[in-house]
């Protein structure tokens, strides 16, 4: 990118659909050009009890992170498979959705709790860079209704009336609400353990008193993540704590979704120019271009966010902590580069030995 003249500001989703069966929110590349530039997509699904997302597949690989709910169910048919797997979902779960996988989603709860899932993915093969395009099997925008009665009749060996019934009976669009008493397939607990990972309950990679928690999830820890070609980070910052500056060294973007709380974010890019300095809050999405350096500081209420990188083996370089790129440099190189005395260089690096990627507030 030769120019710094683009908009990195965090964006909130726009409601794309709402009905009795739930709602779907989307971030569009027209409203957020950086989505198209970096080929990242995002959406949010909210299902009330008995809300059902009709079976569909999409043109992008993605992960779902369950923001809310304990009675979610997803059914999935993976590419080159003729078997449906049924999985249970609850708050904190990460569920990969590979490119082209067929899936349906359901809130199996019988009380008022919604199931909310945010989807983050890469859109390098999508029809519209920066957006997910869904193909529904049935319903008002379904593939079945798109074929003529003649084709449906020939394909499924039925008469015209039967073909019309097959293709046109379901008039709902995207999301519908099932009648009470409908019994959906039961989740398989063993399969759920292999295909769903609760990152909220996972052990921390970094944990700092009064600072917060950093977790990273790759295919090494969760093999099914390989199918989506993504990795996931989960960060929880305590009040006024900092997620220290870092960048991706492998040419990949980072997409952050704020789950809870608020804070301040700065991004520095080409020419050492501060490309972003703003407040970010729950429900907003931030896309950081490849090689740009990003850091966040939580407000007094703290902040929690999940992020994805479009690789199964991310290369993230830190500017602070024992793993800092500065610590890797020879002392004389650091002195010359920063134009400081040997004593100040020692002071500078000794401070980093005491910190991690999570930095608690100063007293």
């Amino acid at each position: 990118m030769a120019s710094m003249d683009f908009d990195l500001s965090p964006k909130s989703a726009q409601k794309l659909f709402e009905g009795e069966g739930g709602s779907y929110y989307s971030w569009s590349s027209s409203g957020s050009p950086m989505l198209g530039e970096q080929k990242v997509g995002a959406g949010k699904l909210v299902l009330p009890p008995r809300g059902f997302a009709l079976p569909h597949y999409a043109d992008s690989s993605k992960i779902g992170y369950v923001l809310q709910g304990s009675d979610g169910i997803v059914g999935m048919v993976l590419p080159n498979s003729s078997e449906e797997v049924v999985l249970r979902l609850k708050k904190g779960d990460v569920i990969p959705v590979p490119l082209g996988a067929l899936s349906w989603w359901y809130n199996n709860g019988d009380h008022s709790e919604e199931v909310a899932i945010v989807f983050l993915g890469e859109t390098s093969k999508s029809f519209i860079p920066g957006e997910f395009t869904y193909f529904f099997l049935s319903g008002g925008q379904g593939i079945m209704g798109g074929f003529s009665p003649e084709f449906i009749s020939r394909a499924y060996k039925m008469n015209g009336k039967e073909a019309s019934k097959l293709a046109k009976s379901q008039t709902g669009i995207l999301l519908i609400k099932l009648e009470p008493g409908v019994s959906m397939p039961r989740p398989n607990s063993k399969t759920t353990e292999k295909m769903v990972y609760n990152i909220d309950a996972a052990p921390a990679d970094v944990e700092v008193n009064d600072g917060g928690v950093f977790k990273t999830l790759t295919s090494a820890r969760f093999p099914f993540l390989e199918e989506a070609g993504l990795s996931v980070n989960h960060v929880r910052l305590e009040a006024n704590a900092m997620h220290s500056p870092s960048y991706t060294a492998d040419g990949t973007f980072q997409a952050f979704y704020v789950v809870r709380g608020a804070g301040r974010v700065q991004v520095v890019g080409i020419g050492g120019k501060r490309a972003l300095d703003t407040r970010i809050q729950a429900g907003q999405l931030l896309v950081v271009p490849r090689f740009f350096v990003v850091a966040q500081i939580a407000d007094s209420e703290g902040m929690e966010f999940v992020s994805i990188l479009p690789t199964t083996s991310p290369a993230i370089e830190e500017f602070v902590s024992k793993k800092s790129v500065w610590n890797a440099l020879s002392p004389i190189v650091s002195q010359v580069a920063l134009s400081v005395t040997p004593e100040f260089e020692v002071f500078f690096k000794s401070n980093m030995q005491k910190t991690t990627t999570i930095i608690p507030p100063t007293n």
Side-chain angles (χ1 to χ4, degrees), residues 23 122 130 183 221 233 259 359:
S23 53
E122 66 87 24
S183 182
R221 182 177 294 178
N233 290 330
V259 175
I359 302 175

Side-chain angles (χ1 to χ4, degrees), residues 178-219:
L178 301 189
E179 295 296 326
V182 175
S183 182
M184 298 298 283
R186 294 175 62 87
N188 184 298
S189 58
K190 289 186 178 180
T191 308
T192 298
E193 290 177 4
K194 294 179 181 179
M195 299 178 66
V196 177
Y197 188 96
N198 193 281
I199 199 169
D200 284 14
D205 293 284
V206 176
E207 186 167 6
V208 178
N209 289 337
D210 300 321
V213 171
F214 173 86
K215 302 175 185 179
T216 186
L217 184 60
T218 67
S219 57

Side-chain angles (χ1 to χ4, degrees), residues 26 50 61 65 75 124 214 240 253 267 279 310 313 320 347 354:
S26 178
R50 306 200 314 276
S61 62
Y65 173 76
S124 60
F214 173 86
N240 304 309
F253 65 78
V267 178
R279 191 171 185 272
S313 301
V320 184
F347 165 71
K354 307 168 188 174

